[in-house]
């Protein structure tokens, strides 16, 4: 039984950005030195543990935690923190490079908590890859892999259901791109890793929905959702859309807004290939890859036993891409001294 006195024993320093007295953030609950500059973010904890099996020196036994949390586990080669809100952060090294995986559960609000709070505790540029699952609105077989070239948001237009003056029950945003270089690395590495497998790897736009059901055009007789036209509307606005899930837009959008030099006007004036120059050290390079679980054209769903096998094929490519992406001078990344991976990196070198 969890000791609730211990859980509710913190004094928070501010209402604006609450931090525990030990520096931990309010929801993700990590503090400086515990999260690496290179991060994979996933929905579920099992996927996170499977990724951590690829970290240097980590064994299955290390990851066999029965405690439902909150917990903190610190070993010479591994750090794990399960927050009371069930954000799970695992930090280790991959081929000697510090990396973290953070499981955030589901939806845009969770992505927002993760990015903002993780950004707060990590110094220097970051690379973040989302590794998730999705449905496809093209006739692409389940078990295929998608790499997002950009993402847009599909939200339920709440006013439509309240006052009926609104024209459209759903709002479809413009698309926001991720980091082109990281996206290409990811695509290339996935292609290489899966070249002998019968797995399709497709690049295209992703729609992030604010519901698994209504804003992904699923039918639910218990509710009025007015979503019969939704796929057509999405295809009309974004003909390159291949997938729907629930977080990638949040990642790409906040990655873009993480630069203090982000100017809408400046970006509009520059050709797409020229990135807005970042004068601060706050850049987040973001990319996303998803496993296609649902084919919404022929109404089929992946059989779950295939999932760990597919994940196994993808994890190496994702981690390889994360450590290959150039984040500038390594010295500018957060200081190794005092971080949980200080000795992990030293041990790897020796
Ligand atoms: C819905 O089943 C969940 O699966 C997808 C969606 O984005 C949503 O979070 O991604 P994950 O597998 O990463 O959770
Ligand atoms: N995740 C989603 O959000 N949608 C799907 O159809 C499958 C997985």
């Amino acid at each position: 039984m969890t000791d609730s006195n211990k859980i509710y024993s913190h004094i928070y320093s501010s209402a604006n950005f609450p931090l525990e007295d030990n520096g931990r953030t309010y929801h993700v609950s990590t503090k400086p030195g515990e999260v690496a500059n290179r991060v994979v973010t996933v929905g579920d904890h099992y996927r996170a543990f499977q990724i951590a099996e690829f970290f240097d020196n980590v064994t299955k036994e290390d990851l066999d935690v029965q405690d439902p949390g909150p917990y903190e586990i610190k070993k010479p080669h591994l750090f794990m923190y399960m927050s009371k809100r069930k954000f799970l952060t695992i930090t280790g090294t991959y081929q000697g490079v510090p990396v973290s995986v953070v499981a955030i559960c589901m939806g845009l609000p969770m992505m927002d908590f993760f990015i903002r709070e993780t950004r707060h505790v990590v110094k220097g540029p970051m690379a973040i890859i989302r590794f998730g699952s999705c449905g496809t609105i093209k006739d692409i077989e389940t078990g295929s892999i998608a790499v997002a070239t950009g993402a847009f948001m599909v939200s339920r237009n709440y006013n439509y259901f309240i006052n009926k003056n609104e024209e459209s029950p759903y709002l479809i945003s413009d698309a926001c791109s991720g980091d082109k270089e990281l996206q290409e690395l990811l695509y290339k590495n996935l292609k290489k890793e899966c070249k002998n497998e019968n797995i399709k790897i497709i690049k295209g736009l992703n729609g992030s929905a604010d519901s698994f059901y209504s804003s992904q055009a699923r039918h639910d007789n218990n509710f009025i959702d007015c979503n019969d036209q939704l796929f057509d509307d999405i295809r009309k606005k974004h003909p390159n859309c291949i997938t729907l899930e629930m977080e990638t837009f949040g990642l790409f959008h906040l990655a873009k807004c993480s630069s203090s030099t982000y100017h809408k006007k400046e970006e509009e004036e520059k050709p797409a290939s020229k990135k807005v120059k970042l004068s601060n050290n706050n850049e987040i390079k973001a990319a996303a890859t998803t496993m296609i679980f649902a084919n919404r054209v022929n109404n089929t769903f992946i059989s779950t036993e295939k999932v760990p096998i597919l994940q196994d094929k993808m994890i190496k490519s994702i981690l390889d891409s994360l450590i290959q992406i150039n984040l500038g001078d390594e010295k500018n990344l957060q200081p190794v001294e005092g971080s949980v991976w200080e000795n992990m990196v030293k041990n790897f070198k020796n």
Side-chain angles (χ1 to χ4, degrees), residues 215-273:
S215 2
Q216 292 188 37
R218 287 188 160 90
H219 295 130
D220 177 353
N221 290 337
N222 289 313
F223 297 94
I224 293 162
D225 288 321
C226 306
N227 58 7
D228 287 349
Q229 286 298 314
L230 184 55
F231 278 168
D232 286 346
D233 292 346
I234 291 173
R235 289 187 183 113
K236 197 164 152 209
K237 177 149 181 152
H238 295 295
N240 292 338
C241 173
I242 53 171
T243 53
L244 292 180
E245 46 76 92
M246 299 177 66
E247 295 85 8
T248 300
F249 176 79
L251 171 62
F252 287 5
H253 171 72
L254 275 187
K256 211 155 226 177
C257 296
S258 70
S259 156
S260 63
T261 56
Y262 174 70
H263 292 306
K264 191 167 184 269
K265 198 161 172 288
E266 189 183 348
E267 209 182 40
E268 276 164 4
E269 282 163 4
K270 285 196 173 180
S273 59

Side-chain angles (χ1 to χ4, degrees), residues 134 142 212 218 293-295 298-304:
C134 69
T142 60
F212 180 83
R218 287 188 160 90
F293 277 11
N295 178 323
N298 65 18
N299 199 21
T300 52
F301 206 87
I302 195 166
S303 34
T304 46

